[in-house]
Amino acid sequence: MSLLRYESQVRAPLVDGTKDYHQVTEDICRPVEAKPSRLWWTGFLISLGLLLFGIVSVTTEVIYGTGQWNLNRTIGWGWDITNFVWWVGIGHAGTLISAILLLFRQGWRTGVNRAAEAMTIFAVMCAGQFPVWHMGRVWNAFFVFPYPNSRGPLWVNFNSPLLWDVFAISTYFTVSLLFWYSGLIPDLATLRDRAKLKWRKAFYGAASFGWTGSTKHWQRHESLSLVLAGLSTPLVLSVHTIVSFDFATSVVPGWHTTIFPPYFVAGAIFSGFAMVQTLLVITRKVLALEDYITIEHIDVMNKVIVLTGSIVGIAYLTELFMAWYSAVDYEWFAFKENRLNLNSPYGWSYWLMMGCNVLSPQIFWFRKMRRNLFVTFFMSILVNIGMWFERFVIIVTSVYRDYLPSAWSTYYTPTIWEVGFYMGTFGLFFTCYFLFSKFFPVIAIAEIKHILKKNGENYKAKMTKEEEDTVTQFGEHHLHEH
Amino acid sequence: MAKKKFIVGSFTDEAVLFPAVKKVRRAGYKLHDVFTPFPIHGLDKEMGLRDTSLHTAGFIYGITGTSTAVGFITWALTIDWAINFGGKPYFALPAWIPVTFELTVLFAAVGMVLTFCWLCQLAPFVKKDHFNPRSTDDTFVMALECTNATNEAEAQQFLQSIGATDVKVEVKETGWWLGSYANDKMRFEKN
Amino acid sequence: MAIRSTFTVPKRFQTISLALMAFGLLSIIGLWVTSGSSDDPKEQARFWASLLQNSVFFLLVVNASMFFICITTLAWGGWQMAFRRVPEAISAVVPVIGVICGAILLAIVFGDNHTIYHWTDAEHVQHDPILSHKKGFLNKPFFAIATIITIAGWSLLGYKMRQLSRKLDNEPLATLEDRKKYIFNNTVWAALFIVLFSLTVMSSIPWLWLMSIDAHWYSTMYSWYTFASTFVSGIALITLFVVFLKNNDYLEYVNNEHLHDLGKFMFAFSVFWTYLWFSQFMLIWYANIPEETIYFQPRAHGIYKGIFWLMFIINFIAPLLILMTRDAKRNYGTVALMAVLIIFGHWLDFYQMVFPAVSPNKVPNIIYDLGIALGFVGLIMFATAKALTKAPLLARNHPFVKESLIHHT
């Protein structure tokens, strides 16, 4: 086996500047060890305020019941399910980055995976709120689990997609958490060994599980990461697939279509990457981590966005085409009258979705745009809005005018408590993210060190000889050295 | 408690570490462990450690999850309380695939992480000794265990000669927190 | 034996490929005599359906090689460079099979027999409200134009990609700037191919060529499903050629690591195919709408259920269990065997996509179809080998090729 750490100089470095292992540790630990900045406090307090608003809204709902949400319509769930699916979708990029890109050996994942995985976990936490609090009698929430009960025992309905959701989301949350934390352990050990304050020693000592960096432990750790990645990859796909089953197993026009599973997954990755961009564009600036989350990383993630956006676009057009091709009147009505028709009550949302998700990401075909931070940030917000409206389109336009005209009703406006609930999940998400970025290393230190000598700028610069070698020379030097 | 003596050398470059491990083993010293700040591919082989079979354990946990799910759902929905859901057969296998899959993954992942923690003896609040705190930063730390046959001064000099900096002798209380490769076929080659 | 850098076709290989082609031709003649020349339109259709199934399947499979090249180019992959010339050579077969396939498709569409494509029967369409609704899409001129443009587009863009690769053989890129420009140039053309690919294989073409056989039925998943089927077979085909060349002392720099990755691709995309298969099947099964379940009735429960479940086992259970371990993916024998099995399994998949609508009352004698398939295999062997001789087996001046040498998983 060749020990040479070479990659072509055509590829941009993934770690900028002159770095050695110690410098990497210093750079990434600095924000954790420094006092929180005023900016951090401001953001944290705003998030906390939002969270508080959410808590108040949910409390009102628990006390007075779901009537607070004024849900007496056929599409009463419109707002909450949209929020639920939107958050779950965002919770996909993290595990995708860490798992699938690990399997595909994409080196750039190391700069962004830790933060993205954290984001995944927080987004899934937010998503989980919606079905749980919507139960009304939330103290009975445990009914969703199959346990021996006094009702017969009457088991839960394993044939129901909503139950699949329970299993999918809880499994996804658990596995993502394990994957994330097992990757964190070595880095927490680094913080522990650097800690000077007493509480830091105690906190990181407890959190790092007594990690030593023994070779045997690393060997097992590598095996664990690889298998968890292998398990997480189909798991990521399964979660949004199952969310799509919630709709697609029904016979509602616009919902029952076989392309839903892969298309939901592509959409989830799409919105997840957009949220990663939103967070990282800010994080790298505020925490001064531009050397590790480089423009190259932003560029590559924008490529993923244009790719998944286009996949989603093909799926939209496929659906639209099939609605016509199927010659099913109801299906075609849902598309033609409820969606395409700009004069219909919600036609605008369909075109907004098309504009944000399919058309606007096409500017990322251009390298200049992909590497522009303002464009990236703006687009990431636009994509998230678009993906929110995708779920809105699917849910609302399909059911507000379905088979029975007597059940037709237009969408209602969410009450202040529903808005508060949604804002509250933002509060939860950002509160968690602020705490994470303060107390945990936002970049995987050990993984950066692992790729440093291959992808670091100063190491790559020394590879000129290898770069200029012909294949034959290169092969002679590096393949037969043992 | 019994005490053990270790000779601890630090390395700053993995390119020096690799040949050093080879030389140490060839010279017949008892290699206690090498602590590194990040995983180094091939170092385990170089140290003569056998491959981990953690993934096999994962596979077993996984199929346990599969059979638990299929077995339980079949029992609950066809034997214990069979209900007609939407005209589907009682044994509605396609509808059970999602839950079966999730439980497979859940069992495999949770089982593997717990096994990993158990094998490496990692848990919250555990404290372990790894000789040099810089080994989680930028230093590769090699520890040799002194046996009756070991000449300390000679061993120290040997470590220095193969590229180690900062070589010292440390005495530690033995215990599980030091880790042990007794079961991990380590071949101590003598020339 | 020393490693050789240019390929010369071994005598035996040549003989076998020619023999297979002859065998295929015999099968076609045999099927013509027993079915094609019959007066019964159903029997005639059975002959044409066999040609359709085989030519479309193998065309999509060889075209998957170009998809593999383009997608790795776009992802800036380096590991595959050691054997990059193999998918290039396979994709050179696209125009050959493309012409055959295009001719067969046009012959079926413009012929008098409307058993395969009901919608070509103007008389029938008039009385069938669903088919007359679909006239805007299912009509002869559109079919012909789309088919010709598609096959020509794949061939031309594929040719361009191969040219870009060959150009470097004689003129190495001197500076880093040149290399960057070269990579950029490659990604532009690869992106164009991918766009064409998504407008054809990932959407419209499977609807036209295959789904319109069951002209009333529809499924939005259909094209992505077809893509998954042919992509995994395409990877298997690449693997087979890599193993063959390696066994004959070519491809100096290819080792277990590359084989391992190809094995991973076969494993992963077998699972991916199953995922799409399950999603399509389960949703239709669950919603239980007669217009949709009619498709699976003859396949999963009717006379085709043997083939249906056999292909499911071959395409999912076998790769899942056999290719799961690391050692299996690094074993040339196992990987080659699985590659053959996977191609056969997906050929069966296409068989059950085509025939239940054409021959609903009895399963045709599959021996003929297998014979014709072997003919196509011979053709692919022959044409790929010929394409392999035309250029060195290593794209030695590609900027990423050295990464492939020290690649390890």
Side-chain angles (χ1 to χ4, degrees), chain A residues 198-388:
Chain A
K198 204 165 176 192
W199 74 267
R200 278 184 181 281
K201 279 199 169 115
F203 176 68
Y204 292 112
S208 62
F209 282 29
W211 176 263
T212 59
S214 154
T215 306
K216 186 70 193 176
H217 294 185
W218 274 122
Q219 184 203 43
R220 292 189 185 122
H221 192 268
E222 289 271 279
S223 166
L224 179 74
S225 307
L226 200 63
V227 179
L228 282 185
L231 288 169
S232 304
T233 303
L235 182 65
V236 183
L237 265 72
S238 83
V239 176
H240 228 53
T241 294
I242 289 174
V243 172
S244 84
F245 286 163
D246 291 348
F247 303 101
T249 49
S250 70
V251 290
V252 175
W255 286 8
H256 178 65
T257 170
T258 46
I259 208 172
F260 255 32
Y263 136 57
F264 262 53
V265 172
I269 295 164
F270 180 54
S271 66
F273 267 94
M275 190 56 112
V276 172
Q277 294 281 44
T278 314
L279 291 179
L280 287 186
V281 165
I282 297 174
T283 305
R284 70 193 282 274
K285 183 85 199 153
V286 173
L287 302 185
L289 292 171
E290 282 108 329
D291 283 350
Y292 300 92
I293 305 167
T294 62
I295 291 290
E296 185 64 20
H297 288 85
I298 307 268
D299 184 344
V300 178
M301 286 195 284
N302 281 332
K303 283 183 189 165
V304 177
I305 288 183
V306 66
L307 172 74
T308 46
S310 306
I311 294 178
V312 166
I314 290 188
Y316 290 162
L317 295 179
T318 300
E319 265 190 319
L320 181 62
F321 172 78
M322 279 299 160
W324 168 79
Y325 178 87
S326 70
V328 176
D329 291 341
Y330 300 103
E331 188 80 17
W332 184 227
F333 181 88
F335 274 87
K336 182 161 172 270
E337 295 302 330
N338 296 354
R339 296 184 183 177
L340 282 177
N341 183 354
L342 202 52
N343 292 323
S344 70
Y346 300 108
W348 54 273
S349 63
Y350 186 75
W351 291 103
L352 189 65
M353 164 190 101
M354 279 288 189
C356 290
N357 294 349
V358 185
L359 291 180
S360 64
Q362 305 301 329
I363 65 161
F364 284 146
W365 282 97
F366 303 101
R367 183 181 148 93
K368 255 218 169 86
M369 294 292 127
R370 288 198 302 266
R371 298 175 89 89
N372 182 318
L373 288 178
F374 289 102
V375 174
T376 302
F377 189 74
F378 179 72
M379 279 305 304
S380 72
I381 302 286
L382 212 60
V383 166
N384 271 313
I385 294 175
M387 284 308 289
W388 191 88

Side-chain angles (χ1 to χ4, degrees), chain C residues 47-64:
Chain C
F47 169 76
W48 287 102
S50 184
L51 294 183
L52 169 86
Q53 181 245 347
N54 276 299
S55 63
V56 169
F57 175 70
F58 286 107
L59 175 60
L60 291 176
V61 169
V62 290
N63 195 39

Side-chain angles (χ1 to χ4, degrees), chain A residues 8 11 105 159 161 241 249 256-259 261 314 321-322 324-325 328 466-469 471-472 474, chain C residues 76 133-134 179 198 207 211 218-221 253 261 275 282-283 286-287 292 396 401-403 407:
Chain A
S8 169
R11 297 171 196 273
R105 281 189 305 274
N159 294 4
T241 294
T249 49
H256 178 65
T257 170
T258 46
I259 208 172
I314 290 188
F321 172 78
M322 279 299 160
W324 168 79
Y325 178 87
V328 176
E466 281 75 10
E467 186 70 30
E468 297 305 328
D469 271 356
V471 187
T472 325
F474 186 87
Chain C
W76 284 43
H133 173 85
K134 297 182 183 189
R179 284 173 209 146
S198 42
W207 300 337
M211 200 167 86
Y218 56 90
S219 166
T220 40
M221 180 76 97
Y253 295 123
D261 272 1
Y275 163 64
M282 197 278 286
L283 288 175
Y286 200 105
E292 293 180 347
R396 59 177 50 253
V401 73
K402 281 171 269 176
E403 293 176 6
H407 167 67

Side-chain angles (χ1 to χ4, degrees), chain B residues 31-140:
Chain B
L31 187 55
H32 170 67
D33 208 340
V34 180
F35 301 95
T36 59
F38 58 90
I40 298 179
H41 288 287
L43 186 63
D44 47 348
K45 295 269 173 322
E46 205 67 62
M47 285 171 64
L49 302 181
R50 69 179 174 83
D51 273 338
T52 173
S53 40
L54 195 58
H55 45 268
T56 315
F59 179 74
I60 294 168
Y61 296 132
I63 50 173
T64 312
T66 317
S67 27
T68 307
V70 175
F72 176 74
I73 303 175
T74 309
W75 174 77
L77 294 195
T78 66
I79 298 168
D80 191 45
W81 193 322
I83 296 180
N84 184 333
F85 292 114
K88 299 277 182 293
Y90 293 138
F91 186 75
L93 192 60
W96 302 345
I97 300 293
V99 173
T100 307
F101 172 77
E102 299 302 327
L103 283 191
T104 305
V105 171
L106 186 68
F107 275 49
V110 173
M112 269 187 82
V113 170
L114 291 180
T115 311
F116 167 76
C117 287
W118 165 251
L119 287 175
C120 300
Q121 296 284 297
L122 300 176
F125 301 104
V126 164
K127 278 201 183 111
K128 288 205 201 180
D129 213 320
H130 55 294
F131 300 98
N132 182 348
R134 289 289 287 243
S135 74
T136 54
D137 182 356
D138 61 349
T139 309
F140 308 90

Side-chain angles (χ1 to χ4, degrees), chain A residues 39-53:
Chain A
L39 209 60
W40 185 89
W41 275 113
T42 320
F44 180 66
L45 288 175
I46 293 175
S47 319
L48 216 55
L50 281 176
L51 178 59
L52 214 63
F53 185 20

Side-chain angles (χ1 to χ4, degrees), chain C residues 301-358:
Chain C
H301 301 291
I303 53 174
Y304 284 88
K305 85 177 163 198
I307 289 176
F308 185 78
W309 294 110
L310 175 67
M311 74 100 187
F312 178 73
I313 291 171
I314 295 179
N315 292 343
F316 173 56
I317 313 275
L320 181 76
L321 295 180
I322 297 173
L323 283 178
M324 188 184 277
T325 66
R326 178 186 160 88
D327 289 344
K329 288 193 279 269
R330 298 172 88 89
N331 181 315
Y332 283 82
T334 316
V335 168
L337 175 76
M338 282 315 297
V340 172
L341 213 55
I342 283 174
I343 295 175
F344 174 64
H346 288 281
W347 182 86
L348 275 183
D349 186 13
F350 267 61
Y351 197 82
Q352 62 85 32
M353 281 153 92
V354 170
F355 279 95
V358 179

